[in-house]
Amino acid sequence: MLPPEKKRSGAQVAMPQPVARVLRRLGQDVSAARRMRRLSQEDLAQRIGTSLSTVRRMEDGYAGTALHTFLRALHVLGRLDDLAKAMTLENDALGMELVREQLPQRVRTSSGKQRHTARPRIGNTDGPADDLEGF
């Protein structure tokens, strides 16, 4: 097998240290979750449909482990929803800030003319009450 930092084309790709740390931590967390559930590495391998050596490499933080292997392990361990929640757009503070920065300061009509909007009714009227009064 090729080292994790080497592509098949022969070019060297350095693994950023933060990525390597998180990968090792994720492997350790999968290992701890497995052991808390009293599953052996063989049991986990069977349940996710992979080999024992793949589970060992995943728990060691090997960079060549496929993402779907981690996801299947998290599913078996009952933690897949936690990852999905962490990745929701609402939790992407930087992404939401970038979107806010791109919002227009003013919104104008496309023709440049003012649109006629109905004025809210004030006081006693004969018609039905406006539930969205003030909008």
Side-chain angles (χ1 to χ4, degrees), residues 52-71:
L52 175 59
S53 62
T54 297
V55 170
R56 286 182 179 150
R57 285 192 306 261
M58 175 179 60
E59 290 184 357
D60 287 340
Y62 175 66
T65 305
L67 177 61
H68 66 87
T69 303
F70 276 102
L71 296 177

Side-chain angles (χ1 to χ4, degrees), residues 39-95:
L39 292 172
S40 68
Q41 287 179 327
E42 283 183 9
D43 292 336
L44 182 60
Q46 275 186 330
R47 290 184 184 200
I48 66 176
T50 192
S51 68
L52 175 59
S53 62
T54 297
V55 170
R56 286 182 179 150
R57 285 192 306 261
M58 175 179 60
E59 290 184 357
D60 287 340
Y62 175 66
T65 305
L67 177 61
H68 66 87
T69 303
F70 276 102
L71 296 177
R72 289 192 323 237
L74 292 173
H75 176 69
V76 166
L77 298 170
R79 300 295 311 272
L80 186 61
D81 288 342
D82 296 334
L83 177 63
K85 287 176 189 171
M87 292 302 301
T88 61
L89 292 179
E90 292 82 18
N91 291 332
D92 185 1
L94 175 60

